[in-house]
């Protein structure tokens, strides 16, 4: 996507904040309309910024990163097939629900669901690190995974993550990788808190939409 190069200039967290802020601005001002509107392209830009964060964890997140990328591509293709109609992700969910396709393996609804869960994982990880900077990365990743993704994964995915945990960087290395060129730890911590405060209400809204379309309890096959 075009914004990737722009994202590389600053810290990944700062880029994610900018994308989230842009998405909030694009949502309708009316509360009722806003609840039924998630702008597709800005949402995908946010998801791409999450990939940049996960990349800093290294090969441990390779499978999750691959899944996120595939799900982004699926939603991009849907958007490009009808940019006007599919400019709102909720309209895509409505269409698939009406056609009975929402629960199919390659549906956009499932792509949206798993992208949301990946964001749940990332924000849980950053919350852990912001709350306890001394916590080991291995513990932070495992705790975040158990809370957000493990309930929906099969045993194969869970077992693979358990093995891959040995490859995570230490806490200091990870935070240094997340910092922008001219940032320090205090700046990064402030960015993490801003990012979390922006993302949590957005995720609550998404989970409410997923419940409406009976997607929130789906597990991987």
């Amino acid at each position: 996507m075009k914004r990737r190069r722009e994202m590389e200039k600053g810290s990944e967290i700062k880029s994610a904040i900018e994308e989230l802020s842009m998405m909030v601005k694009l949502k309708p001002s009316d509360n009722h309309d806003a609840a039924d509107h998630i702008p597709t392209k800005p949402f995908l830009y946010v998801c791409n910024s999450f990939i940049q964060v996960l990349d800093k964890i290294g090969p441990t997140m390779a499978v999750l990163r691959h899944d996120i990328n595939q799900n982004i591509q699926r939603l991009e293709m849907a958007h490009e097939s009808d940019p006007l109609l599919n400019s709102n992700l909720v309209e895509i969910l409505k269409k698939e629900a009406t056609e009975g396709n929402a629960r199919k393996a390659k549906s956009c609804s499932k792509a949206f669901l798993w992208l949301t869960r990946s964001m749940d994982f990332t924000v849980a990880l950053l919350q852990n690190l912001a709350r306890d900077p001394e916590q080991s990365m291995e513990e932070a990743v495992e705790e975040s995974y158990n809370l957000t993704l493990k309930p929906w994964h099969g045993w194969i995915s869970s077992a693979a993550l358990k093995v891959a945990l040995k490859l995570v960087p230490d806490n200091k290395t990870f935070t240094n990788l997340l910092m922008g060129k001219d940032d320090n730890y205090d700046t990064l911590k402030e960015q993490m808190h801003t990012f979390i405060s922006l993302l949590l209400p957005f995720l609550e809204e998404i989970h409410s939409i997923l419940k409406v379309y009976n997607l929130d309890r789906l597990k991987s096959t």
Side-chain angles (χ1 to χ4, degrees):
M1 300 177 80
K2 290 182 180 180
R3 296 199 197 183
R4 273 180 190 161
R5 288 182 183 177
E6 296 173 16
M7 289 160 61
E8 289 171 1
K9 295 178 182 178
S11 75
E12 284 72 17
I13 301 296
K14 186 176 180 180
S15 297
I17 290 171
E18 291 170 356
E19 298 297 350
L20 277 167
S21 299
M22 181 65 67
M23 184 161 57
V24 170
K25 290 178 183 177
L26 291 173
K27 288 176 66 63
S29 57
D30 182 87
N31 287 338
H32 180 268
D33 291 339
D36 292 322
H37 187 89
I38 298 177
T40 304
K41 291 297 282 186
F43 174 80
L44 295 178
Y45 286 133
V46 171
C47 291
N48 268 298
S49 71
F50 276 72
I51 288 180
Q52 309 302 314
V53 174
L54 294 176
D55 278 347
K56 305 302 183 184
I57 304 177
T60 300
M61 293 291 104
V63 174
L64 180 59
R65 187 196 191 287
H66 175 73
D67 288 344
I68 292 173
N69 201 44
Q70 282 195 323
N71 289 325
I72 288 173
Q73 289 176 8
R74 196 179 307 161
L75 291 177
E76 281 181 334
M77 289 175 63
H79 177 266
E80 290 167 3
S81 69
D82 192 336
L84 184 60
L85 177 63
N86 295 334
S87 63
N88 178 8
L89 274 166
V90 178
E91 292 302 320
I92 298 176
L93 299 184
K94 287 180 182 177
K95 184 174 185 291
E96 290 193 338
T98 301
E99 295 173 349
N101 295 327
R103 291 171 175 260
K104 291 185 177 179
K106 301 297 182 181
S107 71
C108 289
S109 299
K110 276 199 167 182
F112 179 56
L113 170 66
W114 284 103
L115 286 172
T116 302
R117 287 173 175 168
S118 298
M119 288 194 287
D120 288 336
F121 166 78
T122 307
V123 75
L125 175 62
L126 294 178
Q127 281 180 307
N128 281 338
L129 294 175
R131 181 170 54 247
D132 183 7
E134 301 303 317
Q135 184 180 27
S136 74
M137 271 297 293
E138 184 175 341
E139 289 177 354
V141 171
E142 184 171 22
E143 184 178 315
S144 304
Y145 174 80
N146 289 343
L147 179 66
T148 60
L149 290 173
K150 188 177 180 179
W152 316 111
H153 274 172
W155 70 269
I156 294 177
S157 297
S158 297
L161 189 280
K162 194 75 174 177
V163 174
L165 279 173
K166 305 301 179 184
L167 301 174
V168 299
D170 60 65
N171 193 314
K172 185 176 181 180
T173 299
F174 179 66
T175 53
N176 285 340
L177 288 170
L178 280 181
M179 288 182 199
K181 185 178 179 181
D182 300 317
D183 291 341
N184 55 39
Y185 179 73
D186 288 336
T187 304
L188 176 63
K189 189 173 182 179
E190 182 179 338
Q191 289 174 353
M192 287 167 65
H193 282 299
T194 301
F195 175 66
I196 291 166
S197 66
L198 281 171
L199 187 59
L200 284 178
F202 177 60
L203 284 173
E204 287 180 10
E205 180 184 329
I206 290 179
H207 281 290
S208 295
I209 292 170
L210 290 171
K211 287 180 182 178
V212 169
Y213 292 94
N214 297 314
L215 296 168
D216 58 308
R217 309 302 296 178
L218 291 183
K219 294 188 176 185
S220 60
T221 54

